Amino acid sequence: MNWDQVEGNWKQFKGNVQQQWGKLSDDDLDVVEGRRTELAGKLQERYGIAQEEAEREIDQWLKQSQSN
């Protein structure tokens, strides 16, 4: 799966994203609207992690979602 698929089907993926990162609120996910850079920024903000770590977590989540 690539990010274009996530972005195109954001409403379907919102629940999965919120399960993965429980500190993200519904408002956060509405702001993200499927944009990867926005998601990385919200992860940095909510979890206090660096941009590189946020990107790694997103990549890992994509790989897990692909195998399910």
Side-chain angles (χ1 to χ4, degrees):
M1 173 181 350
N2 64 38
W3 193 260
D4 290 335
Q5 291 170 305
V6 172
E7 191 171 8
N9 297 298
W10 181 243
K11 288 182 182 179
Q12 293 173 342
F13 282 103
K14 274 174 65 172
N16 293 341
V17 170
Q18 198 161 34
Q19 271 188 319
Q20 178 72 26
W21 295 289
K23 291 184 180 180
L24 296 178
S25 68
D26 287 336
D27 289 342
D28 290 336
L29 297 176
D30 288 343
V31 169
V32 169
E33 290 185 338
R35 295 182 304 253
R36 184 183 173 119
T37 54
E38 292 290 329
L39 177 57
K42 288 295 180 184
L43 291 176
Q44 289 175 258
E45 188 179 312
R46 295 289 182 242
Y47 287 88
I49 59 177
Q51 180 178 354
E52 297 82 23
E53 177 64 21
E55 292 291 340
R56 272 194 299 273
E57 287 191 18
I58 293 169
D59 287 340
Q60 186 177 29
W61 175 77
L62 276 175
K63 287 177 188 173
Q64 287 174 344
S65 295
Q66 186 174 23
S67 64
N68 291 339

